[in-house]
Amino acid sequence: MSTVQNAIRRASKCSYLFSRHALQHAKTTYTIKRDLNLQEYQSKKLMDKYGINVQKFDVADKPEAAGQIGKTLLLDGADELVVKAQILAGGRGKGHFTSGLKGGVHLTKDPEVVTKLCKDMLGYNLTTKQTTKDGVRVSKVMVAEALDISRETYFAILMDRSYNGPVMVGSPEGGVDIEEVAEKSPDLIFKEPIDILLGIQDHQAQSMAKNLGFTGSKQEIAAKQIKCLYELFVKVDATQVEINPFGETPDGRVVCFDAKVNFDDNAEFRQRDIFAMDDQSETDPKEIEATRHNLNYIAMDGNIACLVNGAGLAMATMDIIQHHGGTPANFLDLGGGVKEDQVYEAFKIVSSDKNVESILVNIFAGIVNCATIANGIVKAFKLLNLKVPLVVRLDGNNVEEAKKILQESDLPITTASSFDDAAVKAVASVKA
């Protein structure tokens, strides 16, 4: 199984709808995230609403306001403050700003220092190992109570097809890469499926808290927190709630220090308030435009654009392009009920990428009518005055009519007889 297939199937258990930062191509490694990703402060607000223990915090978009938050937290009993730049990418602590400031996470006990730090954060780009080389502009900072952690554990709830419902996953080894723990110490990974009709039972929460290494009164607190996390998981239609670390402090507090919450896109109609929090400032405008036309667009860093119908075909198309020495610039999934105008909009989106040197259309039509695709291709070619090579492979429903439409258009469109032939011709068109 390819790296592309592994990445997508690992991360998208419930849907083939891909979006923001869905695939980032770096050599042959791909990662994926779901449609909605909340900033850290948004996740913490959501958890606080459901009775989950988080640090005291607030968010600001001006340096002076951040300094005032720091003063308030210190007056409220905080011993130390942590200032965090709010972007979706990880690795903030080791990042650097265009202002010259090193690190997107800082500790201090002085509110004046908070103000000074935020002057070098807000309005500047932060570059981390997970951003582009230009980084991401920081428009908000979170100022929070800094807490010492005496012990770290890992806890998550996720939807798992193999269990036909939600599963709790926990480990007493938290604060590190859980995949590494699973590989090196599988005996330290505990799983507990939950009957979605009955909900989480007291004995399940208690057992998981014990497995995580909580003892005495902290075990009871941890069990209650686990139940609160499950309530959050169900009420917001999450596909995953991951707490790492789920830890305890030297004074005996049990706290969710960091969280990642993923949501089921199909539940957006029930979760309008949550989806309204979607911060699209870090989203590729082409992805936003694709969503407007009910298309699924994913950007990568190659030079061959891929227009396909279906995620499985998309994975295979990217694989075969790479097999023949090419690199995908993006893929755009037209879906099953695509109309002619959507095909035009798809071409408009992919051709707006300055890195695109060739476009490959690879369609296997079942529900889709090949003639609809062909008419959309002709319209797009003429109206957009395409300058890059276009390779088209169509098969399935009404393909003969589609071939006739392309042939009679008298446009410089290269047709392909097979999947492999299409990839070979697309790669060759770039190298020509």
Side-chain angles (χ1 to χ4, degrees):
M1 187 179 291
S2 74
T3 53
V4 178
Q5 292 168 323
N6 272 323
I8 291 178
R9 287 169 184 168
R10 257 196 330 265
S12 185
K13 294 176 182 290
C14 302
S15 171
Y16 276 123
L17 296 177
F18 307 117
S19 70
R20 177 187 344 212
H21 306 306
L23 288 172
Q24 295 297 330
H25 176 249
K27 296 182 180 178
T28 58
T29 301
Y30 297 81
T31 57
I32 184 167
K33 294 183 181 179
R34 296 183 64 81
D35 267 356
L36 175 63
N37 286 278
L38 299 184
Q39 298 281 5
E40 181 183 4
Y41 77 91
Q42 293 173 317
S43 293
K44 278 185 162 60
K45 283 184 177 180
L46 193 58
M47 289 194 295
D48 185 54
K49 177 182 175 182
Y50 282 88
I52 297 159
N53 296 336
V54 296
Q55 299 142 287
K56 297 174 184 176
F57 74 96
D58 207 342
V59 65
D61 57 8
K62 291 182 174 57
E64 294 74 17
Q68 187 57 52
I69 293 170
K71 289 179 183 178
T72 302
L73 289 171
L74 289 170
L75 288 172
D76 200 26
D79 294 324
E80 192 172 22
L81 305 170
V82 58
V83 183
K84 291 187 174 184
Q86 295 298 284
I87 64 172
L88 293 171
R92 289 171 292 173
K94 296 182 180 180
H96 61 274
F97 288 88
T98 48
S99 65
L101 179 67
K102 303 295 183 183
V105 179
H106 289 266
L107 290 168
T108 181
K109 295 182 178 181
D110 187 347
E112 298 302 322
V113 173
V114 172
T115 302
K116 185 177 183 299
L117 285 167
C118 290
K119 284 181 178 178
D120 289 331
M121 288 183 176
L122 290 165
Y124 292 98
N125 282 21
L126 173 60
T127 301
T128 79
K129 62 183 179 180
Q130 291 187 15
T131 68
T132 64
K133 63 180 181 179
D134 296 325
V136 176
R137 186 176 183 274
V138 175
S139 60
K140 288 183 176 64
V141 294
M142 184 180 77
V143 183
E145 170 191 24
L147 294 175
D148 291 330
I149 307 175
S150 60
R151 199 175 68 85
E152 297 179 323
T153 77
Y154 173 92
F155 178 74
I157 306 170
L158 59 132
M159 284 293 184
D160 191 325
R161 284 181 175 175
S162 64
Y163 289 99
N164 294 317
V167 175
M168 292 190 293
V169 180
S171 174
E173 296 293 319
V176 295
D177 188 340
I178 195 64
E179 285 82 5
E180 185 178 331
V181 176
E183 181 179 346
K184 295 182 178 179
S185 305
D187 57 307
L188 295 179
I189 300 293
F190 298 93
K191 294 183 180 180
E192 177 73 28
I194 300 171
D195 187 322
I196 199 166
L197 298 178
L198 295 176
I200 188 169
Q201 303 298 298
D202 288 342
H203 70 87
Q204 292 180 301
Q206 290 283 355
S207 176
M208 180 58 73
K210 182 178 179 181
N211 288 333
L212 295 180
F214 291 100
T215 59
S217 61
K218 287 178 287 187
Q219 186 178 119
E220 186 65 33
I221 295 170
K224 288 180 179 178
Q225 287 293 288
I226 287 170
K227 291 177 69 175
C228 288
L229 285 164
Y230 183 75
E231 181 185 10
L232 165 68
F233 177 83
V234 172
K235 292 289 180 65
V236 303
D237 289 300
T239 56
Q240 174 179 296
V241 173
E242 181 181 52
I243 312 298
N244 191 20
F246 180 43
E248 56 184 82
T249 65
D251 60 358
R253 296 164 63 182
V254 177
V255 180
C256 296
F257 285 93
D258 201 359
K260 180 176 179 57
V261 185
N262 290 348
F263 302 87
D264 187 343
D265 312 324
N266 296 311
E268 181 177 356
F269 72 99
R270 282 200 301 259
Q271 305 293 344
R272 296 195 184 278
D273 289 345
I274 290 175
F275 277 79
M277 292 192 289
D278 189 11
D279 181 357
Q280 296 188 334
S281 62
E282 298 180 39
T283 304
D284 185 335
K286 293 186 286 295
E287 293 181 20
I288 297 172
E289 185 66 14
T291 301
R292 285 184 59 241
H293 297 285
N294 294 317
L295 303 168
N296 295 308
Y297 172 86
I298 296 172
M300 289 175 282
D301 62 3
N303 55 11
I304 301 176
C306 307
L307 267 70
V308 299
N309 65 315
L313 187 60
M315 292 187 285
T317 301
M318 291 187 291
D319 275 350
I320 201 165
I321 286 173
Q322 283 195 300
H323 176 71
H324 288 293
T327 54
N330 50 52
F331 85 70
L332 196 147
D333 180 4
L334 296 168
V338 65
K339 306 297 182 186
E340 186 177 318
D341 285 346
Q342 288 174 290
V343 178
Y344 165 75
E345 295 295 340
F347 269 90
K348 190 175 177 181
I349 291 166
V350 298
S351 62
S352 68
D353 183 348
K354 66 181 186 303
N355 294 320
V356 169
E357 298 178 25
S358 177
I359 299 175
L360 170 59
V361 178
N362 188 19
I363 302 293
F364 187 82
I367 300 173
V368 174
N369 188 327
C370 281
T372 300
I373 302 293
N375 282 322
I377 291 171
V378 172
K379 176 181 178 180
F381 202 109
K382 291 178 178 178
L383 294 181
L384 298 175
N385 193 24
L386 288 179
K387 300 296 184 183
V388 298
L390 173 60
V391 179
V392 178
R393 179 255 182 171
L394 302 174
D395 202 357
N397 181 19
N398 208 16
V399 66
E400 295 305 322
E401 176 66 18
K403 289 179 179 178
K404 182 179 178 183
I405 292 169
L406 294 180
Q407 185 177 8
E408 293 179 352
S409 70
D410 291 325
L411 294 171
I413 298 172
T414 301
T415 58
S417 59
S418 67
F419 199 167
D420 192 68
D421 184 39
V424 169
K425 288 178 176 175
V427 173
S429 72
V430 171
K431 295 179 177 179

